[in-house]
């Protein structure tokens, strides 16, 4: 399509959009008159919305909510659409808005700017109210996985968005990729523009919300990678809103027609902490630390085996449960890497920690942590959604299927990818196994630290090294990124104790309460954590590991 034809298409679209508001206004007036609404009194309540699709579509989606609130409050309700984040910020500052229907990332940025002016009320549950970020390409494209898309043209949305910027960047980072790995990156603002740009070939791959992507699958779009599902929006109030509790109750009990228009099953109460996972991503990719911990918050550090979003979704229900049982606020701390985790614990900047047995043995040996419970279970290799294993796990050494390497003797002097010198399943298990057979890792192998389990698998798959050290269950968890039929396990390695919970700094009473709570968790929490249970732990099981610790 030539640039001139594209130009005329745009002119026609804008002309038609200009006609719609008048039609829509007439229809709204007719509906109001026919339904015979009683007179509305008092100052209007203003719902602020960001324009993420089109003004007309936004009005159609939010108008049933406006009508419902007017009927219940007997007060006029207006819908105010902001063109961009900066316009909404200005309106909040001028106290012109009362309710905000916004993206979680927009909320976090606004809350940071005006901590005493913005308060979360409800978030969606079910339906299209929860969605994934997805990477898409054309249906007939040869691109099947993210790694096929490197050095291609990538379309993203808005740098203040969760779904077409922050979460896609997190998905790339999980694979040790960044925007620098693409030939060209452009920001198109809206999801719809991203989808259309990929379809017409201006970009070979794009990242957007699954909700929007689904509507273009029949037009020739295909999804090549999805994130975990998270809320698409939340409704927050500003300081200007009176009767906040009443409106929160109304929003939590919306009629079916309003929920249908919003494309959600229901709205449930929201807390500020529900969006800390977005703050972690903002810190990671924008360098702004928006995460706040109160002076009495109990901080729990989680060793980053998975992405921040996965960690949050698995562990946040446990944090809320601990808060309920102890009467204290428990919050997750997600370090960037193994080294930052160890630093946080050694500096006693957290109260409890969950880590692999190697990191624990290191911290225990120096007196910085004491185990209080042991994990039972892990992700299954063949079916990652299931829970397998017991109170120990092991690593494996992998090679490419067509590799000439058949035995560990042939590994000598070869290039081997490792997760980290602090990884249990991606280093220590193999270290113990090989040293028992007379090998010295530093002398006999060329080790390359690539930081993450999936990066080892992908590196071996792409031929970047001769072999790799990973945790056995990682083959199931990260198998979607590569064709596992092209990966071969050279040998399983040494079994290790499973991950322990440890106390770093907490009084005896709190430590005992946390220990008892963790050991007797309800099934729903355990299922969310993808473990079978946590059991009492004997410190002696970690002693054999301590002799392998080097300064």
């Amino acid at each position: 399509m030539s640039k001139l034809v594209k130009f005329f298409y745009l002119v026609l679209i804008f002309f038609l959009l200009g006609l719609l508001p008048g039609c829509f206004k007439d229809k709204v007036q007719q509906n109001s008159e026919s339904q015979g609404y009683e007179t509305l009194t008092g100052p209007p309540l203003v719902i602020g919305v960001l324009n993420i699709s089109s003004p007309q579509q936004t009005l159609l989606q939010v108008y049933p909510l406006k009508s419902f609130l007017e009927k219940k409050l007997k007060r006029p309700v207006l819908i105010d659409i902001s063109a961009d984040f900066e316009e909404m910020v200005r309106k909040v500052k001028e106290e012109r808005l009362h309710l905000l229907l916004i993206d979680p990332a927009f909320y976090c940025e606004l809350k940071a700017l005006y901590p005493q002016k913005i308060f979360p009320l409800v978030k969606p549950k079910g339906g299209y109210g929860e969605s994934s970020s997805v990477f898409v390409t054309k249906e007939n494209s040869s691109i099947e996985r993210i790694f096929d898309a490197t050095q291609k043209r990538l379309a993203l949305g808005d740098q203040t968005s969760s779904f077409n910027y922050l979460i896609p960047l997190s998905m790339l980072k999980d694979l040790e990729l960044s925007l620098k790995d693409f030939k060209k990156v452009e920001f198109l603002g809206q999801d719809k523009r991203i989808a259309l740009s990929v379809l017409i070939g201006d970009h070979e791959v794009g990242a957007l919300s699954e909700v929007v992507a689904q509507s273009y699958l029949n037009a020739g779009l295909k999804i090549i990678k999805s994130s975990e599902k998270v809320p698409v929006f939340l409704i927050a109030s500003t300081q200007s809103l009176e009767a906040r509790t009443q409106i929160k109750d109304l929003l939590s009990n919306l009629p079916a027609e309003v929920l249908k228009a919003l494309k959600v099953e229901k709205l449930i109460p929201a807390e500020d902490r529900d969006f800390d996972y977005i703050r972690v991503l903002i810190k990671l990719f924008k360098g702004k630390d928006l995460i706040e911990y109160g002076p009495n918050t109990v901080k729990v550090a989680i060793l980053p085996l998975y992405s921040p979003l996965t960690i949050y979704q698995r562990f946040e229900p446990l944090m809320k449960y601990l808060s309920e049982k102890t009467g204290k606020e428990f919050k997750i701390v997600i370090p960037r890497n193994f080294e930052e985790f160890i630093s946080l614990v050694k500096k006693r900047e957290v109260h409890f920690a969950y880590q692999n047995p190697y990191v624990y043995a290191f911290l225990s040996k120096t007196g910085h942590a004491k185990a209080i419970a042991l994990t039972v279970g892990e992700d299954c290799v063949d079916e990652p959604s299931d829970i397998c294993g017991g109170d120990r796990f092991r690593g494996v050494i992998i090679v490419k299927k067509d590799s000439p390497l058949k035995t560990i003797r042939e590994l000598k002097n070869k290039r081997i990818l490792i997760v980290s010198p602090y990884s249990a399943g991606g280093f220590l298990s193999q270290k113990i196994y090989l040293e028992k057979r007379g090998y010295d890792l530093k002398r006999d192998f060329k080790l390359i630290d690539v930081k993450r389990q999936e990066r080892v698998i992908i590196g071996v798959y792409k031929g970047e090294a001769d072999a790799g050290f990973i945790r056995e269950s990682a083959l199931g968890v990260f198998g979607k990124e590569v064709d596992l039929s092209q990966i071969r396990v050279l040998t399983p390695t040494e079994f290790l104790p499973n991950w322990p919970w440890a106390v770093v700094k907490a009084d005896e009473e709190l430590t005992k309460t946390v220990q008892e709570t963790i050991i007797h968790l309800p099934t729903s929490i355990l299922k969310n954590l993808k473990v079978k249970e946590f059991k009492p732990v004997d410190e002696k099981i970690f002693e054999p590991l301590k002799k392998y610790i080097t300064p």
Side-chain angles (χ1 to χ4, degrees):
M1 185 183 292
S2 70
K3 291 185 177 178
L4 183 60
V5 173
K6 286 184 181 178
F7 173 77
F8 282 116
Y9 268 120
L10 288 172
V11 170
L12 178 60
I13 289 169
F14 282 121
F15 174 74
L16 292 173
L17 288 176
L19 295 177
L20 284 173
C23 299
F24 183 84
K25 181 179 179 182
D26 291 341
K27 183 178 180 181
V28 168
Q29 287 175 343
Q30 290 169 11
N31 287 343
S32 298
E33 291 168 3
S34 64
Q35 292 174 13
Y37 288 155
E38 45 187 290
T39 304
L40 305 175
T41 60
L45 183 151
V46 183
I47 304 174
V49 186
L50 272 170
N51 180 32
I52 58 173
S53 52
S54 71
Q56 288 71 31
Q57 185 176 338
T58 301
L59 282 171
L60 287 169
Q61 187 174 0
V62 183
Y63 188 81
L65 174 62
K66 158 191 156 68
S67 299
F68 171 76
L69 291 176
E70 283 183 331
K71 184 176 180 181
K72 290 295 182 179
L73 300 173
K74 297 179 174 55
R75 170 183 176 184
V77 176
L78 306 178
I79 300 171
D80 184 294
I81 302 176
S82 296
D84 53 36
F85 178 71
E86 287 72 24
E87 183 179 339
M88 179 170 278
V89 169
R90 185 170 63 254
K91 291 173 181 175
V92 169
K93 183 179 180 180
E94 295 169 356
E95 299 186 351
R96 292 163 54 187
L97 307 175
H98 302 96
L99 288 177
L100 307 173
L101 198 156
I102 49 176
D103 175 288
F106 296 158
Y107 164 77
C108 292
E109 298 268 11
L110 271 173
K111 182 70 174 176
L113 287 172
Y114 304 111
Q116 303 305 317
K117 286 189 175 184
I118 308 294
F119 308 93
L121 295 180
V122 292
K123 62 181 181 179
K125 181 72 175 176
Y128 289 111
E130 293 178 296
S131 182
S132 303
S133 282
V134 297
F135 280 87
V136 298
T137 187
K138 291 178 73 171
E139 191 173 28
N140 60 358
S141 168
S142 61
I143 298 172
E144 298 293 339
R145 296 179 175 87
I146 288 294
F147 277 95
D148 301 330
T150 57
Q151 299 309 311
K152 307 292 186 185
R153 299 184 302 276
L154 170 65
L156 295 175
D158 187 304
Q159 294 186 45
T160 55
S161 167
S162 301
F163 288 89
N164 56 37
Y165 182 69
L166 285 174
I167 297 176
L169 259 61
S170 176
M171 295 163 70
L172 291 176
K173 184 173 174 57
D174 287 346
L175 304 174
E176 291 299 315
L177 294 175
S178 72
L179 298 185
K180 294 179 181 179
D181 292 297
F182 294 86
K183 182 178 180 180
K184 184 179 182 181
V185 179
E186 290 188 293
F187 296 92
L188 306 185
Q190 298 176 358
D191 282 356
K192 182 164 63 175
R193 293 175 183 170
I194 297 169
L196 292 173
S197 180
V198 172
L199 284 172
I200 66 175
D202 283 351
H203 296 86
E204 291 143 302
V205 64
L208 63 158
S209 72
E210 184 183 21
V211 171
V212 176
Q214 287 286 348
S215 62
Y216 289 91
L217 295 185
N218 290 335
L221 213 60
K222 72 175 178 181
I223 295 171
I224 58 173
K225 185 172 176 61
S226 303
S227 73
E228 298 88 343
K229 289 186 180 294
V230 295
V232 173
F233 66 87
L234 72 149
I235 299 180
S237 72
T238 66
Q239 189 181 29
S240 305
L241 179 67
E242 299 175 1
R244 191 177 302 148
T245 302
Q246 178 192 7
I247 290 179
K248 184 173 183 176
D249 289 341
L250 289 173
L251 293 173
S252 299
N253 296 280
L254 293 175
E257 62 270 19
V258 179
L259 293 172
K260 183 178 179 181
L262 293 173
K263 299 181 180 179
V264 304
E265 289 181 6
K266 60 181 176 179
L267 295 177
I268 62 174
E271 299 179 58
D272 181 72
R273 64 182 295 158
D274 293 341
F275 308 99
D276 278 349
Y277 70 95
I278 289 292
R279 294 183 173 100
V280 171
L281 300 184
I282 290 173
K283 181 179 180 181
L284 196 60
F285 299 114
K286 302 179 76 172
K288 294 191 286 187
D289 191 354
L290 308 183
I291 304 172
E292 292 188 358
Y293 299 97
N296 299 317
T297 299
V298 179
K299 300 185 208 175
V300 182
I302 309 294
L303 190 70
L305 178 64
Y306 303 113
S307 71
L309 187 52
T310 300
I311 291 172
Y312 176 87
Q313 291 197 323
R314 288 196 182 191
F315 286 88
E316 179 63 9
L318 172 60
M319 296 301 106
K320 290 185 175 181
Y321 187 74
L322 287 170
S323 299
E324 177 187 326
K325 291 297 181 180
T326 63
K328 296 178 179 291
E329 182 186 50
F330 277 69
K331 293 187 77 171
I332 302 170
V333 177
I334 305 177
R336 289 191 299 268
N337 49 43
F338 284 52
E339 290 75 17
E340 185 177 352
F341 176 92
I342 290 169
S343 175
L344 286 170
V345 174
K346 293 182 79 170
K347 292 178 181 177
R348 296 172 65 81
E349 293 180 5
V350 297
H351 300 84
F352 294 90
Y354 185 60
Q355 61 276 290
N356 72 44
Y358 192 24
V359 169
Y360 172 71
F362 175 81
L363 294 168
S364 173
K365 187 175 182 178
T366 55
H368 291 97
K370 180 175 175 55
I372 59 173
L374 186 69
T375 304
V376 178
E378 63 175 332
D379 297 300
C380 295
V381 175
D382 298 327
E383 184 49 66
S385 61
D386 291 341
I387 303 170
C388 295
D391 59 5
R392 61 179 191 162
F393 68 97
R394 66 183 178 180
V396 294
I397 300 174
I398 61 171
V399 295
K400 201 167 182 183
K401 182 181 178 181
D402 58 5
S403 169
L405 300 177
K406 303 298 181 184
T407 68
I408 60 170
R409 291 194 301 274
E410 297 169 287
L411 278 177
K412 199 165 183 180
N413 298 318
K414 294 296 190 290
R415 290 164 52 85
I416 301 176
L417 303 180
I418 68 169
V419 176
S420 163
Y422 296 109
S423 173
F427 179 72
L428 180 62
S429 174
Q430 295 83 354
K431 176 183 171 73
I432 295 174
Y433 177 85
L434 292 168
E435 288 187 0
K436 281 183 175 181
R437 287 155 179 78
Y439 295 95
D440 182 293
L441 266 66
K442 290 185 178 180
R443 181 193 67 208
D444 296 327
F445 310 104
K446 299 173 183 176
L447 303 180
I448 305 165
D449 179 359
V450 295
K451 303 301 182 189
R452 301 195 56 95
Q453 302 272 351
E454 59 269 42
R455 190 66 188 87
V456 174
I457 300 171
I458 292 160
V460 171
Y461 174 79
K462 294 175 68 177
E464 295 173 0
D466 301 289
F469 294 173
I470 59 167
R471 179 171 173 159
E472 187 173 27
S473 64
L475 287 170
V477 176
F478 302 116
K480 292 181 180 179
E481 305 309 327
V482 298
D483 179 2
L484 286 182
S485 68
Q486 299 304 308
I487 297 293
R488 173 163 52 89
V489 174
L490 186 65
T491 182
T493 53
E494 203 75 12
F495 275 105
L496 302 171
N498 217 325
W499 285 41
W501 284 99
V503 58
V504 179
K505 64 168 186 180
D507 61 50
E508 186 176 342
E509 182 181 355
L510 180 59
T511 300
K512 185 176 180 180
T513 302
V514 169
Q515 182 182 42
E516 288 298 313
T517 302
I518 288 174
I519 290 172
H520 298 96
L521 288 174
T523 302
S524 59
I525 302 290
L526 292 169
K527 185 177 180 181
N528 201 74
L529 289 164
K530 291 199 172 183
V531 302
K532 294 178 180 178
E533 64 173 325
F534 297 106
K535 70 176 190 178
V537 60
D538 186 344
E539 185 70 30
K540 292 178 182 178
I541 66 174
F542 301 104
E543 289 303 317
L545 307 185
K546 294 180 182 179
K547 69 178 182 179
Y548 293 98
I549 294 170
T550 55

